[in-house]
Amino acid sequence: MLPLFYVLAGLAGICLILFLIGFRVIPNNKVAVIEKLWSFKGSLDDQIIALKGEAGFQPRVIRGGIHFLTPIMYKVHICPLVTISQGEIAYVFARDGEPLPGTQTLGKIVQCNNYQGVKAFLVNGGQRGIQRSILREGTYAFNLAQFVILTKEKVYSLPLGRVENQTINKMSDIIHERNGFTPIVIKGVDDSLGIVTVHDGPSMAQNNIVAPTVGDDIKDIEKYHNNFQDVEKFLKAGGFRGRQYQVLTEGTYFINRLFATVELTPKTIIPVGYVGVVVSYTGERGIDSSGSDYKHGELVDRDYRGVWKEPLMPGKYAFNTYAGKVVQVPTTNFILKWISNEGGEHRFDSNLKEVNLITKDAFEPSLPLSVVLHIDYRKAPYVIQRFGDIKMLVDQTLDPMVAAHFKNIGQSKTLIQLLQERSDIQQIAAKEMKAKFEHYNLELEEVLIGTPSSSDKDNKIEIILAQLRERQVAMEQIETYERQEKAAVKERELREAQSRAEQQKSLTQSEINIKVQDNEGKASYQRSLHDAEKIKILAYADAEKEAKIGISKAVAIREQVQAYGGSKYQVLQDIVTKYTSAIQQGNIQI
């Protein structure tokens, strides 16, 4: 037991000696910040980092390994390496350096190996406070006595005081509120754009609303600030603090959110059937292109202050709505209704109501109207320059103009004429109002008049309308009776015609029978003539035949008589012959 005790005591003694003489082991995943406790060169005044060997925090850090630092002179602060995750941003706060001018917000960027070289930072004019440059993903060995590193997960620092810690935590909260530890990602599917507000640099002139675009021309590479990601080049190019005219479109941007904040807003979308008239609030004054005859304002070219003479056609635009506005003007036909509680699709007529008339016969009806009009897309800038927007055009110009026109018509017509001559009044009104609309760069397509109705001042119109309806019913009845009378006459004529048709059938049959009988008689007559002629011929033939037979018989008889010896013998022969024949035919048995 005793020898082991001595061994342990000896080892402890050796360790104590090593500690006293200054041997330090720094892990490879750590760094050591050296604080010099005393020095023959004196101490620091208003600085934190001792660049000339004074007592205080030393600029150089010690990396992993075995180092000799006597505790009599040095105090070693072991600090972790700072690791920034991929896709994240870290911010740097410098405790020491030149003070910031009164007009500067963030410390300028100097060459110092991403703030890992404290001496280079201070020698090259590095300034105190939050730095303009940001840190991207990676692992860094910082002197946490000089620099405070703000990351998304934690704040890396060598604590020096409670007040300073509160200040650092407050800055970290501000960055978190602005989502400043991650880059700005603008997706194409979102149809968004980023409007940038810069918080550092010289101020704009008083008459400027937004700062003009500077230095982001790829031809001037020395001033190309790559969409506000390179702060020094932005300021070198003459950039101003404040809201910027230049916007961010689709992409990923690593921007110091303490230098510039980004507001995501929707793109300007001009749908089909519209054009966008641009009213620009910024830019230089352009040359008026509206002509000497147009006295309602100036129309200028693109990117100048004022109303642009060329409208935006249907599509999507990354338009900075703080630098101007886009007034959408319909280019298809649209309708304005002077009817209460009704309106067209575009709602330009939301304030319109029926026109109150005083007719020639002292009635006061309310007349509903509808007007169809069209705006030429090339003349849309003239309309906006003159009236500001379509709603103002309708309320301040078209409404009183149309109302006055129809009031004049109403004074020259009776109530009955307004009802009965509506079609003619529509045509005349459309023709007369067309020129007035063209004066305001509008194209009138059609005027439609509704049925007058009673107003609050006159409720007798319904009585007149009822009388008109009764009169119309009576006229319709008269017309009906006349038509029924004509129908009765036609029916009688029809029946007479049907009777004649029926009798005509019998008459026709009789005539046919007569003709048939006549034809049959003629045929019988002809047959009788033919039969008579036939009989006659047969008679002549029979007679001739009988004659011939008789002659033959006479000759035969004469011969027989002569053969029998005389006529008495012949007679007797004939009688015997006939008697014999009768006995044969009668089957008489003899």
Side-chain angles (χ1 to χ4, degrees):
M1 293 293 297
L2 185 60
L4 179 60
F5 171 77
Y6 288 124
V7 172
L8 294 176
L11 291 175
I14 293 173
C15 292
L16 178 60
I17 293 172
L18 293 176
F19 175 77
L20 292 175
I21 64 176
F23 279 98
R24 294 289 186 272
V25 178
I26 309 300
N28 291 324
N29 61 344
K30 305 285 184 178
V31 294
V33 176
I34 307 302
E35 181 181 2
K36 197 171 185 179
L37 300 178
W38 58 272
S39 174
F40 294 107
K41 296 182 179 180
S43 59
L44 301 174
D45 295 329
D46 58 349
Q47 298 175 343
I48 297 175
I49 304 299
L51 295 178
K52 299 179 181 179
E54 303 95 335
F57 290 102
Q58 303 301 302
R60 186 175 66 89
V61 296
I62 299 175
R63 299 297 302 273
I66 299 175
H67 303 273
F68 177 77
L69 295 168
T70 176
I72 300 174
M73 181 175 287
Y74 298 102
K75 183 178 180 180
V76 179
H77 301 274
I78 305 298
C79 301
L81 295 174
V82 176
T83 300
I84 303 171
S85 302
Q86 185 175 1
E88 293 185 2
I89 298 172
Y91 295 80
V92 179
F93 178 85
R95 286 170 166 156
D96 199 359
E98 297 180 3
L100 292 173
T103 58
Q104 189 173 327
T105 305
L106 305 177
K108 65 182 181 181
I109 300 175
V110 296
Q111 295 295 329
C112 58
N113 189 22
N114 284 323
Y115 302 102
Q116 295 178 102
V118 175
K119 185 175 182 178
F121 175 83
L122 296 174
V123 170
N124 292 331
Q127 297 173 317
R128 300 174 183 175
I130 286 288
Q131 302 298 297
R132 293 171 177 170
S133 180
I134 57 175
L135 299 175
R136 297 285 302 276
E137 53 266 10
T139 300
Y140 301 87
F142 294 114
N143 186 332
L144 297 183
Q146 163 62 12
F147 298 114
V148 178
I149 310 301
L150 291 78
T151 68
K152 185 176 182 180
E153 301 299 331
K154 61 179 295 186
V155 175
Y156 294 89
S157 69
L158 191 63
L160 296 180
R162 180 178 178 183
V163 175
E164 185 195 52
N165 289 338
Q166 292 177 349
T167 303
I168 297 299
N169 291 332
K170 186 176 180 179
M171 284 190 294
S172 179
D173 293 339
I174 293 175
I175 298 172
H176 273 291
E177 290 175 1
R178 299 177 180 179
N179 294 322
F181 292 109
T182 55
I184 297 169
V185 180
I186 302 177
K187 299 179 182 178
V189 294
D190 294 336
D191 283 335
S192 298
L193 57 90
I195 296 178
V196 180
T197 301
V198 173
H199 304 287
D200 199 0
S203 300
M204 292 185 294
Q206 246 182 350
N207 60 342
N208 286 340
I209 297 176
V210 296
T213 301
V214 294
D216 220 23
D217 187 353
I218 193 64
K219 297 178 182 178
D220 190 359
I221 196 65
E222 292 298 324
K223 298 180 180 180
Y224 178 63
H225 55 80
N226 193 14
N227 291 308
F228 309 98
Q229 295 180 101
D230 193 325
V231 179
E232 292 299 328
K233 288 185 178 180
F234 170 81
L235 297 173
K236 184 179 180 180
F240 295 95
R241 74 171 64 201
R243 189 173 283 118
Q244 305 295 305
Y245 182 76
Q246 180 182 350
V247 298
L248 302 178
T249 55
E250 290 80 0
T252 301
Y253 303 91
F254 292 88
I255 296 177
N256 185 331
R257 269 0 167 273
L258 296 176
F259 167 75
T261 52
V262 179
E263 175 187 356
L264 295 182
T265 61
K267 288 182 178 178
T268 299
I269 300 177
I270 309 298
V272 176
Y274 289 82
V275 294
V277 178
V278 178
V279 182
S280 178
Y281 303 147
T282 185
E284 298 179 359
R285 183 176 179 180
I287 300 174
D288 182 19
S289 60
S290 60
S292 59
D293 296 334
Y294 189 78
K295 305 182 184 301
H296 301 281
E298 297 181 349
L299 297 177
V300 297
D301 291 331
R302 188 184 182 95
D303 295 328
Y304 286 94
R305 187 190 303 266
V307 179
W308 293 358
K309 67 178 182 180
E310 295 293 336
L312 301 179
M313 303 307 290
K316 297 179 181 179
Y317 297 89
F319 184 80
N320 190 332
T321 52
Y322 289 100
K325 69 175 181 177
V326 178
V327 182
Q328 293 189 5
V329 179
T331 55
T332 55
N333 290 351
F334 63 94
I335 187 169
L336 301 176
K337 295 183 179 181
W338 275 259
I339 303 174
S340 300
N341 301 323
E342 289 190 25
E345 179 183 356
H346 302 86
R347 304 304 298 171
F348 297 140
D349 49 7
S350 59
N351 296 332
L352 302 182
K353 59 183 180 179
E354 292 82 359
V355 179
N356 294 322
L357 306 180
I358 300 178
T359 63
K360 188 177 181 180
D361 48 359
F363 286 99
E364 299 184 26
S366 294
L367 184 66
L369 299 171
S370 296
V371 175
V372 181
L373 64 149
H374 168 257
I375 300 176
D376 187 343
Y377 78 95
R378 292 165 295 188
K379 296 181 180 179
Y382 291 88
V383 176
I384 299 304
Q385 175 64 51
R386 193 169 192 170
F387 299 102
D389 56 46
I390 306 301
K391 188 72 168 56
M392 191 175 298
L393 162 66
V394 173
D395 292 341
Q396 297 185 0
T397 301
L398 297 186
D399 184 21
M401 181 183 72
V402 172
H405 181 83
F406 281 95
K407 285 179 181 292
N408 294 337
I409 293 176
Q411 291 178 349
S412 64
K413 302 287 184 181
T414 64
L415 179 62
I416 304 300
Q417 289 175 329
L418 282 178
L419 295 172
Q420 295 179 344
E421 300 177 9
R422 185 173 65 90
S423 178
D424 296 336
I425 294 174
Q426 281 186 172
Q427 295 179 1
I428 295 173
K431 184 177 179 181
E432 292 178 350
M433 293 171 61
K434 193 173 185 66
K436 295 181 179 180
F437 273 68
E438 287 178 354
H439 178 68
Y440 299 110
N441 303 111
L442 305 174
E443 297 181 8
L444 179 64
E445 299 292 338
E446 194 171 1
V447 177
L448 305 173
I449 302 176
T451 303
S453 60
S454 299
S455 63
D456 297 336
K457 299 180 180 180
D458 191 350
N459 58 0
K460 297 180 181 179
I461 296 178
E462 292 299 331
I463 300 175
I464 299 298
L465 294 177
Q467 293 176 354
L468 287 176
R469 286 192 290 268
E470 292 176 358
R471 185 185 303 175
Q472 186 64 33
V473 170
M475 293 177 63
E476 292 295 332
Q477 288 178 344
I478 293 173
E479 180 70 19
T480 301
Y481 295 152
E482 290 178 355
R483 291 183 180 273
Q484 288 177 347
E485 181 181 0
K486 291 181 181 179
V489 172
K490 292 295 182 181
E491 183 180 3
R492 184 184 64 194
E493 293 176 355
L494 175 62
R495 290 178 179 177
E496 290 177 356
Q498 290 176 344
S499 299
R500 285 196 299 271
E502 293 293 333
Q503 295 299 325
Q504 184 66 36
K505 180 178 180 182
S506 301
L507 180 60
T508 302
Q509 188 64 38
S510 300
E511 290 178 352
I512 293 173
N513 291 337
I514 291 172
K515 289 183 179 181
V516 170
Q517 292 175 2
D518 180 59
N519 291 336
E520 288 179 352
K522 289 181 180 180
S524 299
Y525 174 73
Q526 292 295 330
R527 281 196 302 272
S528 63
L529 291 177
H530 183 270
D531 291 343
E533 185 65 25
K534 181 178 179 181
I535 292 170
K536 183 178 179 181
I537 293 172
L538 291 175
Y540 285 148
D542 290 340
E544 186 178 358
K545 181 178 180 181
E546 289 294 332
K548 289 181 179 181
I549 292 171
I551 293 172
S552 297
K553 286 183 177 182
V555 174
I557 292 171
R558 189 183 63 187
E559 292 294 329
Q560 287 179 353
V561 170
Q562 290 177 2
Y564 286 111
S567 57
K568 61 180 181 180
Y569 294 107
Q570 181 63 37
V571 171
L572 180 60
Q573 181 65 34
D574 289 337
I575 294 171
V576 173
T577 301
K578 292 181 179 180
Y579 181 75
T580 303
S581 177
I583 292 172
Q584 289 178 349
Q585 293 178 355
N587 293 323
I588 299 174
Q589 298 294 327
I590 300 178

